[in-house]
């Protein structure tokens, strides 16, 4: 996975070893050309873990819970 390095989730993607953050599209080719089988194998556990979380709606549930807490927080301040 490639993501623009100035995008909000770029740090999360790179820290979780899910892909590469690039400045522009021309940076992609050097990464692809130098990407090894060992690097691919090293990324697989992280990709499997995150894909499982996505399929099970963990991130969506987390976002919904945060939204619910944020809405309720305004009512508890009275």
């Amino acid at each position: 996975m490639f993501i623009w390095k100035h995008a909000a989730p770029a740090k999360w993607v790179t820290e979780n070893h899910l892909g590469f953050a690039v400045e522009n599209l021309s940076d992609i080719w050097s990464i692809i050309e130098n990407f090894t089988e060992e690097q691919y194998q090293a990324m697989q556990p992280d990709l499997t873990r995150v894909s499982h979380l996505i399929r099970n709606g963990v991130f969506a549930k987390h976002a919904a819970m945060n939204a619910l807490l944020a809405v309720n927080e305004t009512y508890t301040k009275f």
Side-chain angles (χ1 to χ4, degrees):
M1 168 190 213
F2 293 97
I3 189 165
W4 182 48
K5 77 181 214 177
H6 301 292
K11 182 178 177 183
W12 185 83
V13 167
T14 57
E15 286 179 352
N16 286 285
H17 311 287
L18 304 173
F20 302 93
V22 296
E23 180 69 39
N24 58 56
L25 294 175
S26 64
D27 297 339
I28 293 172
W29 292 114
S30 65
I31 294 170
I32 291 173
E33 290 171 350
N34 296 308
F35 194 63
T36 66
E37 179 69 26
E38 291 78 25
Q39 289 173 306
Y40 175 79
Q41 293 301 327
M43 290 178 87
Q44 284 305 302
D46 297 317
L47 292 167
T48 300
R49 177 182 52 85
V50 172
S51 68
H52 175 75
L53 295 173
I54 291 170
R55 281 193 308 276
N56 288 293
V58 172
F59 296 112
K61 291 173 188 173
H62 182 73
M65 184 60 72
N66 283 342
L68 181 64
L69 292 172
V71 168
N72 286 328
E73 183 179 291
T74 60
Y75 292 111
T76 60
K77 289 183 180 179
F78 293 114

